[in-house]
Amino acid sequence: MQNIENKVAYITGATKGIGFGIAEALVQNGLKVAISGRDIKALEKAQQALGSENILILESDVRNYNDQLKAVEQITSEFGKLDIVIANAGVGKFAPVDEMSLEDWNAMIDTNLTGAFYTLKATSGQLKTNKGYYISIASLAGTNFFAKGAAYNASKFGLVGFTQAAMLDLRDYDVKCTTIMPGSVTSNFNGHTPNEDDNWKIQPSDIGQMVVDLLKMNPNVLPSKIEIRPTKTK
């Protein structure tokens, strides 16, 4: 198994939900972790909850490429390098395609798809130098379409395709790329407050453990696309 202690990771959209669950798992395994988001108060709260000195918070918007370049500068200045990038930031708005607002469409494409591209492009130099790992958090909505999901489906279908193509582009640099496609996850997504009714779902800690398992895997092995579902439905 790969030794991942003291590796440096960058997680976008990590103040809660899946991103926070991944950050927590990485910290517990001895990594130095940078987490980003648009709300500085939420970042400070997450930093306190993670309870580690090896946490760097970055007020950053994945929709802004210059923000991602600045994030790389801050991470390498603080930790000296960057090994692992988790493109997790995402939003969801659901409406019939004829009623979908331009603002909601653009928010999803710009965050869920273009944001993942900006994040990888800005970090690719460090990943190539350090033979790193890029993981995008997609969704089963990236392969299963549903009513009122046109924009969300488009962003996640695109993210799955983007990550798979990036895997082919970067594998000769010994950079791994994986997309994780969760089903129902207990999270704060779309304004939801987790409660006991969510206990049947995948937990953020489960995704965190999956990321740890990927990072520890034999370097000759690359699970490029992973679908994960709850064992049972509600």
Side-chain angles (χ1 to χ4, degrees):
M1 297 178 71
Q2 288 273 82
N3 180 10
I4 62 174
E5 191 173 357
N6 292 319
K7 295 281 189 180
V8 177
Y10 171 38
I11 310 169
T12 65
T15 59
K16 54 191 176 183
I18 291 174
F20 183 86
I22 295 171
E24 194 169 39
L26 296 187
V27 166
Q28 290 170 355
N29 279 270
L31 280 79
K32 299 173 182 177
V33 180
I35 60 173
S36 73
R38 292 180 288 169
D39 185 339
I40 187 61
K41 290 184 178 179
L43 285 164
E44 291 170 348
K45 183 177 179 180
Q47 181 183 36
Q48 184 176 16
L50 288 167
S52 170
E53 295 180 356
N54 291 323
I55 294 290
L56 174 66
I57 58 173
L58 305 169
E59 189 175 7
S60 179
D61 188 341
V62 297
R63 299 173 298 180
N64 186 319
Y65 182 59
N66 287 330
D67 274 12
Q68 299 314 296
L69 291 174
K70 183 179 178 181
V72 175
E73 291 177 1
Q74 292 175 292
I75 294 165
T76 54
S77 176
E78 179 72 17
F79 295 134
K81 62 174 182 173
L82 176 58
D83 303 292
I84 299 150
V85 176
I86 315 292
N88 170 73
V91 295
K93 306 284 186 179
F94 305 99
V97 65
D98 54 317
E99 298 176 14
M100 174 67 63
S101 71
L102 300 182
E103 291 78 13
D104 285 349
W105 171 273
N106 289 328
M108 278 179 276
I109 298 300
D110 291 348
T111 303
N112 302 355
L113 181 54
T114 304
F117 164 63
Y118 285 170
T119 300
L120 178 54
K121 185 168 178 63
T123 59
S124 60
Q126 280 290 309
L127 293 178
K128 288 193 287 186
T129 296
N130 299 313
K131 298 182 179 181
Y133 210 139
Y134 173 83
I135 299 173
S136 67
I137 306 300
S139 169
L140 289 181
T143 192
N144 302 309
F145 52 84
F146 56 91
K148 300 183 181 180
Y152 190 70
N153 283 142
S155 70
K156 293 299 186 177
F157 269 69
L159 180 57
V160 171
F162 165 75
T163 309
Q164 296 290 277
M167 177 266 294
L168 298 178
D169 290 339
L170 297 176
R171 66 194 308 182
D172 288 339
Y173 297 95
D174 293 319
V175 175
K176 288 185 172 185
C177 294
T178 297
T179 188
I180 298 176
M181 303 166 65
S184 298
V185 179
T186 298
S187 73
N188 302 85
F189 185 72
N190 207 29
H192 176 69
T193 300
N195 56 66
E196 290 184 359
D197 291 338
D198 296 320
N199 289 343
W200 63 276
K201 298 178 180 178
I202 301 163
Q203 301 303 306
S205 58
D206 297 325
I207 306 298
Q209 184 60 54
M210 175 166 286
V211 169
V212 169
D213 291 344
L214 284 170
L215 298 177
K216 289 184 175 182
M217 196 165 286
N218 187 317
N220 293 330
V221 177
L222 176 58
S224 58
K225 182 170 67 172
I226 300 172
E227 296 186 4
I228 176 172
R229 296 170 170 81
T231 303
K232 297 181 180 179
T233 58
K234 184 175 180 180

